[in-house]
Amino acid sequence: MSEQTLYIKNMVCPRCISSVAAILAELGQPAAQVELGQAKLTAHVNLARFQALLQAQGFDLLQSADARLAEQVKHLLLAEVAQPTRSL
């Protein structure tokens, strides 16, 4: 199976990455790469079970391209706000 990227809503901090990684480990995906807003899988995962576990932790799978774009914009804004104030 080739690498599959799943996009995840409401991931905003390192704890979110840890939570999603723990869910994937529970599903037998401990080596999956997890970043803010996405998880890259190299093996098949039961999507219905994965989504149910995500939702129990306050996350959700993003299905549409529009939803993925909105989540990417949110992450860019969060990154900008988190940067220290620049002096002129």
Side-chain angles (χ1 to χ4, degrees):
M1 176 182 172
S2 62
E3 189 174 90
Q4 176 184 13
T5 302
L6 300 175
Y7 297 93
I8 304 167
K9 183 177 182 178
N10 296 331
M11 291 183 70
V12 295
C13 67
R15 283 188 189 179
C16 296
I17 293 171
S18 297
S19 294
V20 172
I23 291 169
L24 288 168
E26 182 178 332
L27 295 173
Q29 291 283 340
Q33 180 182 356
V34 181
E35 301 171 6
L36 284 180
Q38 64 183 348
K40 294 180 182 177
L41 310 179
T42 56
H44 176 73
V45 65
N46 180 331
L47 287 179
R49 178 82 173 123
F50 182 51
Q51 185 162 8
L53 292 171
L54 284 175
Q55 288 175 340
Q57 296 296 318
F59 306 112
D60 202 2
L61 283 178
L62 296 170
Q63 303 293 333
S64 73
D66 288 341
R68 288 194 302 260
L69 179 60
E71 193 70 7
Q72 288 173 337
V73 169
K74 182 173 90 175
H75 285 274
L76 289 172
L77 290 171
L78 285 170
E80 187 66 28
V81 169
Q83 291 181 1
T85 305
R86 298 181 193 127
S87 59
L88 299 175

